[in-house]
Amino acid sequence: MATHCPYCALQCGMTLREDDGVVTVHPRQFPTNRGGLCQKGWTAAELLDHPERLTTPLVRDPATGELRPASWDAALDRVVAGIRAVQRDAGRDAVAVFGGGGLTNEKAYALGKFARIGLRTRHIDYNGRFCMSSAAAAGMRAFGIDRGLPFPLADLGRADTLLLVGANPAETMPPLVRWLTEQRRAGGRLIVVDPRVTATARQADLHLQPLPGTDLAVANALLHIALTEGWVDRAYVAERTTGFEAVRRGVAAWWPARAEQLSGVPVADLEATARALGTGGRVIILTARGAEQHAKGVDTVTAYVNLALALGLPGRAGSGYGCLTGQGNGQGGREHGQKADQLPGYRRIDDPAARAHVAGVWGVPADELPGPGVPAYQLLDSLGTPDGPRALLVFGSNPVVSAPRAARIEGRLRDLDLLVVADLLLSETAALADVVLPTAQWAEEDGTMTNLEGRVLRRRALRPPPPGVRTDLAIIADLAARLAATEAPGARPEAVAAARFPTDPAAVFAELRRASAGGAADYAGISWERIDAADGVYWPCPSGDGPDTPRLFADRFATPDGRARFHPVDHRPAAEEVCATYPLHFTTGRVLAQYQSGTQTRRVPALRRAAPEAFVELHPDLAARLGVDDGDPVRVTSRRGELCAPARLSAGIRPDTVFAPFHYAGAGRANSVTNDAVDPISGMPEFKICAVRVEKA
Ligand SMILES: Nc1nc2c(c(=O)[nH]1)N[C@H]1C(S)=C(S)[C@@H](COP(=O)(O)OP(=O)(O)OC[C@H]3O[C@@H](n4cnc5c(=O)[nH]c(N)nc54)[C@H](O)[C@@H]3O)O[C@H]1N2
Ligand SMILES: Nc1nc2c(c(=O)[nH]1)N[C@H]1C(S)=C(S)[C@@H](COP(=O)(O)OP(=O)(O)OC[C@H]3O[C@@H](n4cnc5c(=O)[nH]c(N)nc54)[C@H](O)[C@@H]3O)O[C@H]1N2
Ligand code: SF4
Ligand SMILES: [Mo]
């Protein structure tokens, strides 16, 4: 059975085999992974028959306070009664939905539709807000469209210069490293910007090691140098862009020496980088979470987009700007309506034409669709407060581990009247729920995923879910039907009848195609058959007999006038700066063997052995000052909380910065420490920098 890995956005091709009930994973030739898989992909099938798999709904017993097995009827009745009670009391918006970028396109679409016409709440958002939102917002405002890579991944292998800013694919997308190796074999230069000497940085020709939170200044200095040296593509700027003059004036103040002072990157390295970018033939600039997960993430990405535009890269063959999308369906998950301000096809919920189109597909009057909700952190932080939602339904996220300032969010979740979590395993968030609904896993249901290239792929069911387990689509449909059957003031039961929420993913996809037709992310011409016939189909693909779009921007950008837009952006300090009490910078990220909040990968024995617990990475000089030896337990404290984990000494990290992975719960939870300041445009939290104190525990 040919399918794709359940985890990250590389969506490596794999083949599943079932012998005597045991499912094994085999690598498959696919254009992104070319037969490669990382350890997570190799072991993905181990969760299918995992002993901790949820196989029955759980309902919290009011008498004992414990979660107890319950029938589906009892569990769903409890959910519906809870929703109706809260909505009767506090209005429709008192119920909120939280989705995930790991859900298939079909599920993301169904969830957004369920929120808008099943619950009729404006409150839906998702974990992609913590992931892709800054790059998405920057792409929208510069190019008029947000597709992570506007070109096939294979272009990386042919780049003369490749700049990776805040990306560590050697750990986060290991098979992608083949493209980097190929690129350098062909004589290309790889430049990596990361405060740590990562496995990726070790392969680079040049490694810039800035202080976290200074990427914007670095980008402006690079453009400053390019201007001074005459590497700006004046013809391209004149023909294909608007707004350059203001950017030019802004970066004039970014002398390389000024950027060096702020970031610690030597002027010579800035000059070498600018030269490689400005004089290379095929040049690609990529950002990932290191640059984006800041309270100035949108402006930071914009600074790199400005640089790319000034050099004439976007739309030029073999060149361009892109961001590396993270979650398995991080791209599709941000297109079909689980974002607070969005309707399917990447339409805006406040656009009357978009509302009319989607309401038509859904068979409801457009004026019945709610308006925009609020971004994820704001939503989570309002739960259970007098003005916030009092019930929350979570599909595909574990915010108790992954949200910033997690102890506070955990408290908010506890304050809810009703918390419902659909998951395959008892995540830390599910453990707090009033009702837990066991869902099918990737190899048990059909659907589509859109990878980091904007390529729509088929996920295939190898076998049905185990007895007692239902698919997310079936849960959504059942809830919609039960809600329709209840009497609620002003509700139109027929509008939310079960027939409107098909459980067959093929039927959902057919509807999604119609709903997306004419939108920015147009899937109208994509059929499952067409995906099968090729190695996936790139959106936009408006017509069944027309072409798909592997490369964007060759002739025009997706803005009304077809030109890309420059935006002047300036450096600003991190939301929280170091001080005498909290003198060190704290940053967070990933290790190869764990995925996200770890619900899944912490339960796979080989992965647990490879990365069993949290750690705090710090420089030996800093460790010596603190009297800490390798392996000693240390405590990292911020204004918001603390993390305790063994020290891991590494000469590869800046002595003024400490790092911890965010995959762990309990005392090792990095998000107990992180800052919940968010980007004013995207709502992205500042996961990648805050001020801390470190001491031996
Ligand atoms: N093994 C594994 N792979 C994954 C995932 C996982 O959880 N585990 N998750 C997937 C998802 S959802 C995502 S979003 C991607 C993320 O993929 P990446 O963005 O590659 O992952 P991160 O480790 O979060 O961050 C990358 C690097 O940013 C650096 N960094 C920290 N602060 C700064 C800064 O201020 N500036 C710069 N330039 N760099 C900084 C960190 O040191 C880190 O090495 O990975 C995907 N793949
Ligand atoms: N400090 C710090 N925090 C971070 C980050 C960071 O770099 N630093 N990165 C952020 C980023 S980029 C991301 S993407 C988030 C991710 O963080 P989360 O949103 O917590 O992501 P996951 O751990 O993937 O959570 C997915 C949950 O859904 C379940 N699940 C998987 N598939 C399905 C399905 O099909 N249906 C249902 N119903 N459930 C399913 C899994 O078992 C798991 O419990 O974390 C963010 N948090
Ligand atoms: S790189 Fe990503 S998609 Fe590929 S096997 Fe690893 S986790 Fe799966
Ligand atoms: Mo992510």
Side-chain angles (χ1 to χ4, degrees):
M1 165 75 55
T3 189
H4 296 270
C5 175
Y7 298 118
C8 86
L10 202 58
Q11 284 297 290
C12 296
M14 54 170 59
T15 307
L16 298 182
R17 277 199 210 118
E18 183 168 13
D19 295 303
D20 293 331
V22 178
V23 180
T24 49
V25 169
H26 305 267
R28 178 164 74 86
Q29 282 299 327
F30 184 75
T32 57
N33 63 311
R34 294 189 295 183
L37 289 178
C38 81
Q39 202 183 1
K40 299 186 294 303
W42 276 108
T43 54
E46 290 182 30
L47 288 173
L48 292 171
D49 294 310
H50 197 279
E52 289 174 63
R53 180 94 196 256
L54 297 171
T55 53
T56 172
L58 303 173
V59 174
R60 195 167 297 280
D61 181 336
T64 64
E66 275 166 24
L67 283 171
R68 296 210 178 286
S71 70
W72 275 97
D73 269 337
L76 294 172
D77 280 346
R78 169 84 179 263
V79 174
V80 169
I83 289 172
R84 283 307 184 215
V86 159
Q87 287 191 323
R88 230 179 354 254
D89 241 38
R92 294 198 185 98
D93 291 340
V95 176
V97 177
F98 201 81
L103 302 177
T104 59
N105 288 316
E106 290 78 2
K107 296 185 202 183
Y109 171 83
L111 200 62
K113 177 179 170 186
F114 173 65
R116 272 61 175 252
I117 70 168
L119 297 168
R120 296 186 61 194
T121 176
R122 70 186 179 100
H123 284 308
I124 176 166
D125 212 54
Y126 79 125
N127 69 5
R129 190 68 71 172
F130 298 162
C131 183
M132 303 315 304
S133 62
S134 284
M140 286 305 277
R141 75 174 177 181
F143 307 125
I145 198 166
D146 157 37
R147 200 181 89 184
L149 293 183
F151 43 73
L153 192 68
D155 283 11
L156 302 191
R158 296 189 286 265
D160 296 308
T161 300
L162 177 55
L163 178 68
L164 291 179
V165 191
N168 183 17
E171 297 211 53
T172 54
M173 298 187 178
L176 187 153
V177 173
R178 297 173 171 217
W179 299 105
L180 307 185
T181 311
E182 184 173 306
Q183 185 241 353
R184 286 190 333 289
R185 270 208 204 110
R189 284 170 65 90
L190 174 66
I191 306 174
V192 170
V193 187
D194 197 303
R196 303 184 301 138
V197 184
T198 59
T200 312
R202 272 198 290 277
Q203 312 206 9
D205 299 289
L206 182 59
H207 174 207
L208 314 186
Q209 202 169 357
L211 184 71
T214 61
D215 298 282
L216 200 166
V218 168
N220 277 357
L222 294 173
L223 181 49
H224 178 105
I225 298 167
L227 270 158
T228 315
E229 298 292 332
W231 293 325
V232 168
D233 186 339
R234 297 281 177 183
Y236 176 100
V237 168
E239 282 160 30
R240 303 216 47 192
T241 72
T242 58
F244 181 60
E245 187 46 32
V247 169
R248 191 194 61 73
R249 277 200 305 274
V251 302
W254 280 100
W255 309 103
R258 186 176 165 211
E260 171 179 329
Q261 206 178 28
L262 201 78
S263 68
V265 178
V267 168
D269 287 352
L270 293 171
E271 285 172 350
T273 303
R275 176 172 299 277
L277 296 170
T279 63
R282 288 171 300 228
V283 175
I284 294 177
I285 299 176
L286 299 179
T287 61
R289 302 311 82 71
E292 299 162 9
Q293 287 173 326
H294 293 271
K296 56 173 178 295
V298 178
D299 282 354
T300 300
V301 173
T302 300
Y304 283 95
V305 170
N306 286 343
L307 177 63
L309 287 171
L311 298 174
L313 308 180
R316 186 163 104 198
S319 295
Y321 163 81
C323 72
L324 291 170
T325 292
Q327 298 183 82
N329 198 29
Q331 180 69 52
R334 64 192 203 250
E335 299 164 0
H336 303 301
Q338 52 175 340
K339 240 175 165 171
D341 55 356
Q342 189 195 55
L343 289 173
Y346 224 130
R347 289 183 158 92
R348 294 183 56 103
I349 203 166
D350 57 6
D351 168 6
R355 293 170 68 86
H357 173 81
V358 174
V361 175
W362 290 349
V364 297
D367 60 9
E368 278 190 12
L369 296 182
V374 298
Y377 187 77
Q378 198 182 330
L379 175 63
L380 294 175
D381 194 30
S382 71
L383 297 174
T385 63
D387 301 323
R390 285 165 38 186
L392 179 74
L393 283 67
V394 180
F395 286 78
S397 181
N398 183 15
V400 167
V401 175
S402 58
R405 201 173 186 179
R408 176 176 168 120
I409 295 308
E410 194 177 330
R412 296 282 190 246
L413 293 169
R414 288 181 194 277
D415 287 345
L416 287 166
D417 294 1
L418 176 71
L419 174 62
V420 181
V421 176
D423 206 306
L424 26 136
L425 296 156
L426 195 70
S427 71
E428 286 73 13
T429 306
L432 295 183
D434 300 293
V435 181
V436 180
L437 304 171
T439 59
Q441 283 193 50
W442 108 109
E444 298 160 354
E445 51 188 343
D446 286 299
T448 60
M449 306 283 280
T450 305
N451 79 352
L452 76 173
E453 309 166 282
R455 191 198 303 243
V456 186
L457 312 169
R458 272 290 296 284
R459 170 181 282 188
R460 290 185 185 80
L462 174 76
R463 60 184 198 185
V469 171
R470 296 191 184 172
T471 64
D472 291 299
L473 290 178
I475 294 171
I476 291 168
D478 200 330
L479 285 175
R482 280 167 203 259
L483 283 165
T486 67
E487 280 194 346
R492 294 161 18 99
E494 76 277 13
V496 287
R500 294 194 188 279
F501 287 90
T503 58
D504 172 13
V508 179
F509 190 72
E511 189 184 307
L512 179 161
R513 289 171 62 182
R514 284 189 288 125
S516 76
D522 192 332
Y523 282 49
I526 305 178
S527 64
W528 285 11
E529 296 69 38
R530 187 164 170 185
I531 297 173
D532 292 347
D535 281 322
V537 181
Y538 292 86
W539 70 260
C541 181
S543 144
D545 4 285
D548 66 342
T549 318
R551 287 191 173 74
L552 295 166
F553 313 145
D555 309 312
R556 68 189 312 276
F557 294 95
T559 51
D561 62 3
R563 290 164 175 256
R565 297 194 203 95
F566 281 97
H567 290 267
V569 287
D570 208 359
H571 170 78
R572 52 186 191 268
E576 182 179 67
E577 293 189 275
V578 294
C579 61
T581 321
Y582 302 103
L584 293 165
H585 304 277
F586 178 63
T587 193
T588 61
R590 293 159 165 82
V591 297
L592 198 161
Q594 295 292 345
Y595 189 69
Q596 313 275 62
S597 73
T599 311
Q600 293 158 285
T601 48
R602 281 188 270 126
R603 288 179 167 85
V604 175
L607 301 178
R608 201 167 55 230
R609 276 195 300 278
E613 58 178 352
F615 59 86
V616 178
E617 184 178 318
L618 68 172
H619 193 278
D621 293 351
L622 173 63
R625 266 205 288 133
L626 300 170
V628 168
D629 281 328
D630 195 49
D632 280 354
V634 292
R635 184 182 307 117
V636 178
T637 311
S638 74
R639 285 185 178 83
R640 294 153 299 277
E642 62 178 44
L643 138 78
C644 291
R648 187 178 289 181
L649 269 48
S650 160
I653 187 166
R654 294 175 55 107
D656 55 6
T657 302
V658 294
F659 168 90
F662 80 99
H663 310 294
Y664 303 91
R669 181 171 69 182
N671 276 322
S672 298
V673 173
T674 49
N675 192 353
D676 58 351
V678 298
D679 185 289
I681 300 172
S682 65
M684 171 69 86
E686 191 137 88
F687 288 121
K688 290 290 196 263
I689 185 169
C690 72
V692 297
R693 176 174 77 232
V694 179
E695 60 220 332
K696 202 163 161 170

